[in-house]
Amino acid sequence: MQLGIIIEPPMRSYALLLLLCLPCAVAQQQEVAQPPVPSAPSTQGDVPVEQYIRNGWASLTRSMTDCATVHDPKLAGASVVYLPHGYPIPSTVAALRTKCNVRVEHLPRAIGKEGDLMPSELKTPGLLYLPHRYVVPGGRFNEMYGWDSYFILLGLLSEGNELLARGIVENFFFEIENYGAILNANRTYYLTRSQPPFLARMVDEVYRTMNRRDPDAAKAWLEKAMPYLERDHALWLSDAHKAGDTGLARYFDLGSGPVPEMEDDSTYYVDVIKWLLAHPEVKTNYLTKAADGQACSSGASAVCAHTEYQGWRLTPAFYRSDRAMRESGFDVSFRFGPFSGSTENYAPVCLNALLYRYELDVAGLYTKLGDDAKAKQWTDAAEARKTAMNRYLWDARTGAFADYDFVHHRRSTYLYATAAYPLWAGLATRTQAASTMRQLRTLTHEGGLAMSNTISGMQWDAPFGWAPVNWIAVDGMSCYGYGTTMGRIAHGFMHSVRDNYERDGTIREKYNVVDPRKDVEVAAGYKSNVVGFGWTNAVYLKMNGLLFTGRSSDCASTIPARGTQQ
């Protein structure tokens, strides 16, 4: 399908980065990881970037004792803190009424699962109470996010902050228990969707840290965690998240219509309509003039007031996929059609690779607890998912895993950086890994790994690179022995972070990795490049450690031995 967008050829200029990496020996046609020479720390004035990151954790930490925690930069209006139905009001929360001039209310009923309480049932959106401190990404993202928190947790543990990391995980237990699921973030308008599933990885990371200090306490904590892991995983097996009859999962949001959190960028949906009208050659089912296309009554909210242009509206199907895209975390790209308006139709590589690793992790944790029967159930579930992924997602023609459109029964041809996820999950055979690496070379640039080769103007496409996907890629590559490419990408992304830091003294949520010297310019959607930034801080630290050792300490146990074929 022609999208009417510019495709920029990948850059091949790696000379500077190659000078930074030690040569890696080659054995059996595989790269063997060797520790590159670490680069000297950069400074903004007299403050090294590492110290900026270390100082940043405090400024990004929130708790229910702080007025700054309640504020929502995305919405106008008064702040409200919601507690679970019937939950006693802690004194620290009660104090917010006078201290911060906020309302404190209870949710109208108990929530057992996602969708039991719809955000529209609450007159005023607000912050959902969490019992422990947590770290926010930064900027407009002033709440605890689902997948951001995994990468943030890695950074906290790398600096010895076990208490804060464990509190974040226990906040997710609280969300599952009281809000029905791990939420996109702890705001009421996120009650209908989750985010990419990393809880098993988080539990494993915290457990191993605790176990080094106090094995008995670690085991007791792990036993407490297991029911929450099972409940979190069950969300992705629910009917709403089934990718047809493939045995795989999809992203899906139980809500409808435009998302409230776009209030601070209220032109977005009109921008989508304008683009679709300007590109009639792109065939979609996203536009309508029918009255039933009206997703909400005019003036019902700041977002709803900006969902029509020259009589055209977006269809309910577009809004379902728009919401599903936001559950994926990749908002916005053209990966699943223009503005990812067909997300609900796909079984994505990223989600199913994460669930495969999740199932293996849970199996491993049950083994640590001595429950071999449970461990086998989860290993069998992982094997079943691997079989389905090889059937539907593996594209032997291109030599990479690809997203599968289960409605039209075809694999996507849109190369995306999430092709690296099967390496991180330990899912790929050696042969699959080798061909995947050849595909990923086209996304490798001076400043790191770009999300795609498609310049759509969206923040999750070229020329932009993001910390979480760059980390998953290099971590997976290191486990399969691709030390040279791992070092090139890690050095490149760290260079992007340092270069920006030296220019303006900040760390950002995303970077132009094709040309790190250029500012990030996004045409539609989230147009700002937020300062903070939780997962970038963490990934910088983790990459620095990986470059010293040359190999991840957390490789999946299923990675095949070198030289074998599966």
Side-chain angles (χ1 to χ4, degrees):
M1 179 175 68
Q2 296 296 318
L3 298 180
I5 48 187
I6 300 170
I7 308 295
E8 178 168 311
M11 292 180 64
R12 300 288 184 179
S13 177
Y14 302 137
L16 174 62
L17 295 177
L18 287 172
L19 289 173
L20 296 174
C21 296
L22 288 178
C24 292
V26 177
Q28 297 179 356
Q29 304 304 311
Q30 294 289 322
E31 299 176 82
V32 178
Q34 298 290 335
V37 177
S39 49
S42 300
T43 60
Q44 171 68 15
D46 295 326
V47 182
V49 64
E50 291 83 358
Q51 187 61 47
Y52 174 91
I53 292 171
R54 194 164 292 114
N55 295 342
W57 297 127
S59 65
L60 295 173
T61 299
R62 302 286 182 268
S63 76
M64 291 296 163
T65 64
D66 302 324
C67 298
T69 299
V70 185
H71 176 60
D72 189 351
K74 297 180 293 303
L75 303 185
S79 299
V80 181
V81 174
Y82 288 96
L83 292 103
H85 180 74
Y87 193 87
I89 301 178
S91 59
T92 53
V93 175
L96 295 176
R97 289 168 167 160
T98 54
K99 179 182 176 183
C100 311
N101 191 30
V102 301
R103 285 163 39 207
V104 176
E105 299 183 8
H106 284 93
L107 295 175
R109 59 179 175 275
I111 299 174
K113 64 182 185 306
E114 189 180 69
D116 280 353
L117 179 66
M118 302 303 284
S120 58
E121 298 180 58
L122 302 172
K123 184 177 180 180
T124 307
L127 182 74
L128 293 165
Y129 169 79
L130 294 173
H132 304 289
R133 294 185 304 148
Y134 52 88
V135 177
V136 303
R140 71 192 294 274
F141 306 109
N142 191 38
E143 46 274 316
M144 189 183 80
Y145 281 79
W147 76 315
D148 292 68
S149 293
Y150 166 66
F151 303 95
I152 288 169
L153 178 142
L154 293 179
L156 293 174
L157 290 178
S158 72
E159 298 208 305
N161 200 334
E162 177 193 324
L163 186 63
L164 182 53
R166 189 168 77 242
I168 289 171
V169 176
E170 291 178 1
N171 278 338
F172 285 129
F173 298 165
F174 189 88
E175 285 191 354
I176 293 168
E177 187 70 31
N178 294 280
Y179 306 131
I182 288 180
L183 304 179
N184 188 147
N186 61 315
R187 298 281 180 188
T188 56
Y189 46 79
Y190 291 134
L191 280 167
T192 57
R193 68 173 179 265
S194 187
Q195 273 209 317
F198 281 99
L199 185 61
R201 279 281 80 230
M202 288 191 263
V203 166
D204 187 71
E205 293 281 354
V206 170
Y207 165 76
R208 286 189 286 126
T209 302
M210 292 178 67
N211 195 53
R212 289 192 289 269
R213 177 177 49 79
D214 188 340
D216 291 338
K219 182 179 180 181
W221 187 82
L222 183 58
E223 289 172 339
K224 169 188 168 184
M226 299 311 290
Y228 293 111
L229 292 179
E230 297 218 15
R231 288 177 62 179
D232 178 48
H233 181 267
L235 171 77
W236 302 100
L237 304 183
S238 66
D239 288 344
H241 284 93
K242 287 180 179 177
D245 60 0
T246 62
L248 299 172
R250 67 170 178 173
Y251 292 111
F252 196 77
D253 181 327
L254 296 179
S256 62
V259 294
E261 68 267 23
M262 291 305 292
E263 182 174 314
D264 65 339
D265 190 4
S266 58
T267 67
Y268 174 66
Y269 293 117
V270 170
D271 289 340
V272 174
I273 296 171
K274 288 179 178 179
W275 190 96
L276 293 169
L277 292 175
H279 296 82
E281 74 281 5
V282 180
K283 306 302 181 184
T284 71
N285 64 345
Y286 304 164
L287 284 177
T288 182
K289 282 200 170 185
D292 61 4
Q294 186 71 30
C296 46
S297 59
S298 180
S301 72
V303 179
C304 289
H306 299 87
T307 54
E308 182 178 346
Y309 178 73
Q310 294 182 352
W312 290 98
R313 305 178 181 93
L314 295 164
T315 61
F318 174 86
Y319 284 118
R320 287 197 303 271
S321 281
D322 180 68
R323 286 172 165 270
M325 170 194 67
R326 296 169 196 281
E327 182 173 74
S328 79
F330 298 111
D331 45 344
V332 182
S333 78
F334 274 42
R335 175 187 180 189
F336 300 123
F339 306 92
S340 283
S342 297
T343 303
E344 66 171 336
N345 295 343
Y346 282 84
V349 172
C350 50
L351 174 58
N352 287 283
L354 291 176
L355 288 171
Y356 172 79
R357 183 71 187 268
Y358 197 117
E359 288 150 0
L360 288 179
D361 285 337
V362 174
L365 293 171
Y366 270 123
T367 298
K368 289 180 172 69
L369 293 174
D371 193 333
D372 293 337
K374 277 277 195 178
K376 185 178 185 306
Q377 290 177 17
W378 284 86
T379 301
D380 290 347
E383 285 302 310
R385 188 174 302 278
K386 180 178 181 179
T387 298
M389 290 183 69
N390 277 307
R391 177 181 178 184
Y392 291 103
L393 307 186
W394 174 250
D395 191 334
R397 183 174 49 84
T398 62
F401 286 90
D403 305 314
Y404 181 72
D405 181 343
F406 62 88
V407 174
H408 299 98
H409 311 291
R410 62 195 179 201
R411 294 185 191 92
S412 172
T413 59
Y414 198 97
L415 179 62
Y416 210 60
T418 51
Y421 276 54
L423 276 69
W424 179 85
L427 167 72
T429 66
R430 287 284 170 187
T431 300
Q432 288 172 332
S435 59
T436 297
M437 290 297 296
R438 288 191 288 272
Q439 292 291 316
L440 292 174
R441 284 195 201 111
T442 69
L443 302 181
T444 304
H445 298 275
E446 178 184 350
L449 191 72
M451 291 306 303
S452 72
N453 283 329
T454 304
I455 299 179
S456 63
M458 304 299 106
Q459 64 173 1
W460 282 98
D461 268 322
F464 307 124
W466 293 70
V469 179
N470 270 261
W471 172 251
I472 284 176
V474 301
D475 198 34
M477 290 174 189
S478 74
C479 291
Y480 277 80
Y482 291 99
T484 300
T485 306
M486 175 275 288
R488 181 182 301 135
I489 293 171
H491 269 297
F493 190 76
M494 291 177 71
H495 171 72
S496 295
V497 174
R498 288 195 306 268
D499 188 60
N500 185 87
Y501 179 68
E502 289 171 348
R503 286 201 311 269
D504 69 11
T506 64
I507 291 181
R508 304 277 178 159
E509 67 170 342
K510 55 185 175 283
Y511 294 90
N512 182 333
V513 296
V514 174
D515 187 349
R517 289 160 292 278
K518 286 187 177 179
D519 291 334
V520 168
E521 296 181 0
V522 177
Y526 301 117
K527 298 173 186 175
S528 63
N529 193 10
V530 176
V531 174
F533 195 81
W535 63 23
T536 312
N537 296 347
V539 165
Y540 186 94
L541 297 176
K542 290 294 289 184
M543 283 182 172
N544 200 38
L546 183 60
L547 290 174
F548 270 105
T549 62
R551 184 173 172 85
S552 174
S553 61
D554 190 34
C555 297
S557 60
T558 54
I559 294 175
R562 191 177 309 283
T564 64
Q565 302 294 324
Q566 291 188 346

